[in-house]
Amino acid sequence: MPIRVLDPQLAAKIAAGEVIERPASVVKELLDNAIDAGATHIRVEARAGGLSLMRVTDDGSGIPAAEIELAFARHATSKLQSVQDLAAIRSLGFRGEALHAIAAVAQVTIISKTAGEAAATMLHFEGGSVTQRTSRGAPDGTAILVENLFATVPARLKFLKSPAAETGRIGDVAAQYALAHPGIQISLIVDGRLSFQSTGSGKLEDVLVKVLGVDTARGMMPVQPAEEAQDVRGGESKVRVEGFISQPAVTRSTRSYMSFFVNSRWVQSRMLVYALEEAYHTLLQVGRRPLAVLNIQVPYDEVDVNVHPAKSEVRFLRERDVFVAVQKAVRGALVDAAGIPLAASYPGAAAPAAPARWQPPAPSGAEPAPYQPALAPWRPPQVAVSALPPAEPARSSAGQAASATKLPPLRILGQAALTYIIAESPEGVYLIDQHTAHERIIYEKLKAEYARLAVSSQGMLEPQAVEVTPRQAALLGVHGQELADLGFQIEPFGPSSMLVRAVPAILAGQNVGQALAEILDDMTDESGGLAPQAWQEALITTVTCHSAVRAGQSLTFDEMRQLVLQLEQTTLPRTCPHGRPTMILLSQAQLEKEFGRR
Ligand code: ADP
Ligand code: MG
């Protein structure tokens, strides 16, 4: 093919691809513009995952009638004049690309009015050009309607997920912007229903309650900017870190509950994630992640926001200072607050349940703490093992040689550290991890039942309302069938909750709300690339993990016996579904050697 300059319409579509990747990108850009225009109330609407319609309405400054066409020209902006300006950007937008890009890949209608104008101006764009211009009555501010996104860009449509998944991303953007701007009321209307609304009170706590739900918000504690923070060179730090982080007892299995804002701009940053996780070092179990909403204020001229087309990444002039500031602020909050739940003051929140007291870890280098039962408080088992169906008689005949995966007959001796079952066999002494062992049992049972679509479900005595984030709600839409096959019976209940009527029998008696939220979170991460089978597997594993007895639960002899009996029946008794060992063996030979008997 000979070289030729691209047709301008095609070139515009290609350029738009960098900025507008999916429906949520449109919402993000329009929110940026509304906030830059000084809006205090912003309404976001989406239909069919944003593909048929999205509309963002604000009460900001509006665009003067004479400038509206210009606003849609490429590289047209009111936010930047000179190269000097580029070095210290205060607005969210500055590239002058968004409106042009959106109009290149969708039909756009804008209605805008400034305070000084008598009437609003309405413009309609098709294929990037104005096809209609009228004047009409409308309140001050701007409304931008985006229809049939990507209808003319099949290459892009192909890569989108289901409407429910795209709606979930839009919900996520709305929630993140609400967290970044607690003083602005942001409402999200999905398919005609109000799905999320922040109060605009200016208090981050209020937004936290809306985004995370009262229960989780109650488990968050404030991070305050240090009075006299110092930077790495001992000078006064110019970095201020403020927001909320979770108590160590409140965790998630994904990182999707970490929000970072730099000068109120929502950003993605591995460095910030790392700084946060470092601060929690040794406080969380492997694989568990803290929740955080942190705004990092950095002098405008010390952060480069012009490194990503969607402006979602930034570069810091003094990265090390920022890292240290975040890590210190978080660590400081963890040590100071030591687990005192702040949210007793939340409006409408019931008195917090007995706070799970968190002990600061012993300074490194100190003697390992002696075993103190008080640190692992006894809790009645959430699932009584004896309540499980009695084990069936062993399948293998007694005379058959035990295969490497099979267990020898075990005699229970007791429980150690409320976590390990001690048992003996002719081979030696076994220490069995009660949680991983129970996981193995449940996993095999659940998997077999799921394959036959015969998972036993148990109705709840009283249906339980569970708060869900917009993203979780969207996922329930996508994965509803699989959840139903696993024994869940869930229905929508109000704008931000679900009513759980039945759960897999194996989960009965558990904290259903928390289990469901975590299961949905796991699916959030998985729903991307995983084949249906892979994530059904992930789903079963997650439900299993939530159903199994925990470490720290006291078990009776009978419960331990039942557990071990059932473990003997499984096909792979020596590992849990995650691949961790369920048991270790101290062989006779090892014991004899250790005691110098040989
Ligand atoms: P940028 O935000 O980078 O300047 P955009 O293409 O998003 O570029 O917008 C172009 C210009 O249109 C903005 O600089 C601003 O002057 C104007 N504009 C866009 N949206 C709004 C709005 N909601 N309210 C007021 N002005 C707006
Ligand atoms: Mg913009």
Side-chain angles (χ1 to χ4, degrees):
M1 242 195 294
I3 300 175
R4 56 196 180 89
V5 173
L6 286 175
D7 154 72
Q9 279 216 8
L10 179 54
K13 279 183 185 146
I14 293 171
E18 283 201 319
V19 186
I20 306 301
E21 199 190 333
R22 52 186 353 117
S25 334
V26 172
V27 169
K28 177 183 180 302
E29 292 296 336
L30 296 182
L31 281 169
D32 276 355
N33 285 346
I35 293 165
D36 283 345
T40 55
H41 296 84
I42 307 174
R43 181 185 156 96
V44 178
E45 289 167 73
R47 279 192 188 275
L51 288 177
S52 82
L53 174 162
M54 281 176 287
R55 183 182 0 234
V56 174
T57 310
D58 70 55
D59 59 355
S61 63
I63 310 177
E67 292 183 8
I68 300 184
E69 263 125 333
L70 192 56
F72 282 81
R74 188 154 190 221
H75 306 307
T77 178
S78 59
K79 300 167 191 174
L80 200 65
Q81 282 183 340
S82 63
V83 192
Q84 280 80 8
D85 293 349
L86 197 55
I89 288 170
R90 286 157 190 270
S91 52
L92 294 173
F94 55 90
R95 299 170 61 102
E97 280 182 328
L99 292 185
H100 179 81
I102 296 168
V105 292
Q107 291 156 4
V108 177
T109 310
I110 178 170
I111 301 172
S112 193
K113 176 184 165 328
T114 62
E117 291 169 327
T121 307
M122 178 175 101
L123 251 66
H124 182 73
F125 292 81
E126 302 252 350
S129 318
V130 180
T131 56
Q132 221 185 317
R133 176 181 189 122
T134 52
S135 151
R136 50 168 285 175
D140 291 352
T142 305
I144 295 184
L145 170 68
V146 176
E147 289 171 293
N148 303 319
L149 179 70
F150 298 141
T152 58
V153 196
R156 188 60 88 175
L157 272 183
K158 210 167 59 184
F159 285 94
L160 295 184
K161 309 254 181 260
S162 66
E166 296 299 334
T167 301
R169 290 180 189 249
I170 292 173
D172 200 28
V173 169
Q176 299 299 331
Y177 272 70
L179 289 168
H181 304 275
I184 300 177
Q185 181 175 56
I186 296 181
S187 314
L188 173 66
I189 290 106
V190 172
D191 296 321
R193 278 187 19 204
L194 180 65
S195 122
F196 170 82
Q197 184 167 51
S198 62
T199 62
S201 68
K203 288 200 205 120
L204 182 54
E205 303 76 309
D206 291 349
V207 191
L208 274 182
V209 170
K210 297 284 180 180
V211 172
L212 298 175
V214 172
D215 289 340
T216 308
R218 210 180 274 157
M220 303 289 284
M221 55 195 192
V223 173
Q224 256 119 22
E227 287 286 304
E228 283 166 24
Q230 289 188 338
D231 66 15
V232 284
R233 288 168 304 282
E236 192 197 334
S237 175
K238 295 182 192 155
V239 183
R240 269 170 64 95
V241 182
E242 218 172 340
F244 284 85
I245 56 168
S246 53
Q247 296 171 35
V250 180
T251 59
R252 292 288 185 269
S253 55
T254 84
R255 294 193 170 104
S256 48
Y257 287 83
M258 298 178 187
S259 309
F260 298 103
F261 309 106
V262 172
N263 296 338
S264 299
R265 177 192 304 278
W266 179 31
V267 298
Q268 311 294 326
S269 159
R270 280 168 191 277
M271 183 274 279
L272 293 174
V273 169
Y274 187 61
L276 173 74
E277 293 192 335
E278 271 291 285
Y280 277 85
H281 188 62
T282 73
L283 300 180
L284 305 184
Q285 275 178 28
V286 178
R288 303 304 297 178
R289 315 278 174 206
L291 295 77
V293 175
L294 291 176
N295 187 22
I296 297 125
Q297 274 161 272
V298 182
Y300 288 104
D301 59 356
E302 292 195 4
V303 51
D304 186 357
V305 294
N306 188 24
V307 290
H308 189 270
K311 302 163 291 179
S312 56
E313 284 168 27
V314 294
R315 214 164 20 209
F316 297 101
L317 188 61
R318 299 178 213 281
E319 188 166 47
R320 180 89 207 136
D321 281 0
V322 176
F323 180 87
V324 170
V326 171
Q327 203 198 21
K328 265 193 183 165
V330 172
R331 191 83 202 177
L334 283 167
V335 173
D336 283 357
I340 296 160
L342 79 138
S345 60
Y346 285 147
R357 269 261 160 197
W358 169 74
Q359 309 276 344
S364 54
E367 298 251 313
Y371 171 64
Q372 283 176 291
L375 288 178
W378 182 88
R379 284 179 293 150
Q382 290 164 307
V383 171
V385 177
S386 55
L388 297 173
E392 290 158 28
R395 275 163 285 173
S396 55
S397 64
Q400 211 173 308
S403 78
T405 55
K406 284 290 167 199
L407 291 186
L410 291 167
R411 187 170 75 90
I412 311 289
L413 301 176
Q415 192 189 19
L418 296 176
T419 302
Y420 309 105
I421 299 169
I422 309 171
E424 75 160 355
S425 79
E427 292 170 87
V429 176
Y430 279 88
L431 289 174
I432 301 167
D433 179 322
Q434 63 194 40
H435 176 68
T436 53
H438 199 198
E439 273 191 321
R440 166 54 60 188
I441 296 166
I442 296 175
Y443 172 80
E444 293 196 3
K445 177 168 181 287
L446 207 52
K447 202 160 156 138
E449 289 180 352
Y450 187 81
R452 287 182 281 124
L453 286 183
V455 178
S456 29
S457 173
Q458 180 163 327
M460 317 251 311
L461 282 179
E462 274 183 29
Q464 187 184 337
V466 173
E467 286 170 350
V468 287
T469 64
R471 187 163 189 164
Q472 290 172 337
L475 274 155
L476 277 171
V478 187
H479 296 306
Q481 189 53 49
E482 284 90 347
L483 282 161
D485 290 347
L486 254 186
F488 283 101
Q489 202 186 321
I490 305 169
E491 48 195 65
F493 181 62
S496 60
S497 30
M498 293 283 158
L499 204 59
V500 182
R501 293 192 176 279
V503 293
I506 210 92
L507 262 183
Q510 298 280 42
N511 179 343
V512 171
Q514 190 187 335
L516 184 65
E518 297 218 342
I519 290 161
L520 289 173
D521 285 347
D522 284 354
M523 294 199 296
T524 310
D525 278 6
E526 310 302 355
S527 63
L530 283 190
Q533 242 147 17
W535 90 253
Q536 278 163 15
E537 175 76 24
L539 179 60
I540 292 174
T541 315
T542 315
V543 172
T544 298
C545 183
H546 281 281
S547 317
V549 290
R550 314 253 151 213
Q553 285 180 215
S554 160
L555 300 180
T556 64
F557 260 88
D558 204 39
E559 288 168 339
M560 290 190 270
R561 225 176 346 253
Q562 284 297 333
L563 198 147
V564 170
L565 266 177
Q566 292 178 41
L567 186 64
E568 285 170 3
Q569 318 284 313
T570 61
T571 39
L572 292 171
R574 288 173 199 267
T575 54
C576 82
H578 305 98
R580 293 201 304 264
T582 55
M583 59 182 64
I584 53 177
L585 167 67
L586 295 169
S587 67
Q588 290 293 3
Q590 247 174 305
L591 289 170
E592 282 172 9
K593 205 169 134 228
E594 293 289 339
F595 286 107
R597 291 179 164 273
R598 273 195 194 181

